[in-house]
């Protein structure tokens, strides 16, 4: 007796892979805490849980060029569970990160849940840096480490707010 494919597998084979629409196609099953669809697959006789978008990207576009390549979303809505094959392509982590900035889905600055500073704080820190206030005093005032103040001063962190480019 042959085992019936899972609903997720049927969705992939009957809906996702043949989908030709331009709108996002949302993964209707389990998602990670970040909103990305998850698919439990058997790969090389091992059960694994992988992003559904990665599984579909492999099915439609073939294996990634390198193990580091990511299934990137041209729509910027992977975090909402989009698995439209037309929105997926292989990109390096650096290319995918650049796309996240364009889409506004990166977690830079205050969008990062671990950030202790807001954009207004960073602007005020730049003012204090320009006034030659010592890094340790600034760090103490904002309850952050001196290294972070230094990173702001050099553009290694918060460059999207300060305009200071670390690589210049």
């Amino acid at each position: 007796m042959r085992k019936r494919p899972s609903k997720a597998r049927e969705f992939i084979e009957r809906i996702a892979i043949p989908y030709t629409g331009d709108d996002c196609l949302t993964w209707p099953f389990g998602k990670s805490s970040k909103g990305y669809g998850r698919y439990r697959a058997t790969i090389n006789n091992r059960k694994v849980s992988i992003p559904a978008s990665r599984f579909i990207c492999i099915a439609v576009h073939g294996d990634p060029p390198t193990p580091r390549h990511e299934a990137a979303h041209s729509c910027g809505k992977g975090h909402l569970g989009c698995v439209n094959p037309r929105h997926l392509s292989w990109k390096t982590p650096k290319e995918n990160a650049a796309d996240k900035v364009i889409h506004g889905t990166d977690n830079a600055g205050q969008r990062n849940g671990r950030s202790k500073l807001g954009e207004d704080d960073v602007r005020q820190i730049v003012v204090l840096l320009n006034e030659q206030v010592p890094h340790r005093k600034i760090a103490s005032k904002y309850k952050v480490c001196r290294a972070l103040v230094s990173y702001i001063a050099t553009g290694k962190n918060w460059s999207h707010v300060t305009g200071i480019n670390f690589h210049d």
Side-chain angles (χ1 to χ4, degrees):
M1 184 174 199
R2 194 160 174 222
K3 186 178 174 185
R4 185 170 186 262
S6 70
K7 288 183 180 185
R9 184 66 182 207
E10 282 186 25
F11 176 84
I12 289 170
E13 292 174 355
R14 294 186 182 173
I15 297 171
I17 292 174
Y19 188 70
T20 59
D22 290 327
D23 293 335
C24 289
L25 178 64
T26 304
W27 181 251
F29 305 105
K31 294 181 180 158
S32 71
S33 60
K34 294 182 181 178
Y36 290 89
R38 300 293 299 175
Y39 177 63
R40 294 189 194 286
T42 302
I43 300 175
N44 298 329
N45 293 323
R46 274 185 53 221
K47 291 190 184 265
V48 295
S49 176
I50 65 170
S53 54
R54 184 171 183 85
F55 187 85
I56 290 169
C57 199
I58 291 168
V60 174
H61 303 296
D63 288 332
T66 70
R68 294 192 68 229
H69 273 74
E70 301 171 347
H73 296 79
S74 62
C75 61
K77 296 187 178 166
H79 65 290
L80 299 176
C82 178
V83 292
N84 181 337
R86 296 178 67 181
H87 295 180
L88 298 172
S89 64
W90 294 118
K91 294 204 175 174
T92 65
K94 188 174 183 177
E95 292 168 331
N96 201 11
D99 283 353
K100 290 176 185 177
V101 172
I102 291 167
H103 298 138
T105 57
D106 64 323
N107 67 348
Q110 63 192 30
R111 288 189 302 267
N112 185 319
R114 295 176 54 192
S115 177
K116 293 181 179 180
L117 301 173
E119 291 182 2
D120 290 340
D121 296 327
V122 173
R123 287 185 193 96
Q124 186 58 42
I125 287 171
V126 171
V127 169
L128 295 172
L129 288 166
N130 289 335
E131 293 173 356
Q132 304 295 313
V133 175
H135 289 198
R136 67 178 163 68
K137 283 192 175 186
I138 297 171
S140 176
K141 177 178 179 175
Y142 288 93
K143 296 180 176 45
V144 296
C145 65
R146 282 189 293 180
L148 178 57
V149 175
S150 178
Y151 291 162
I152 292 169
T154 60
K156 191 169 185 180
N157 285 81
W158 291 93
S159 61
H160 66 286
V161 173
T162 65
I164 302 167
N165 191 338
F166 179 68
H167 299 288
D168 283 348

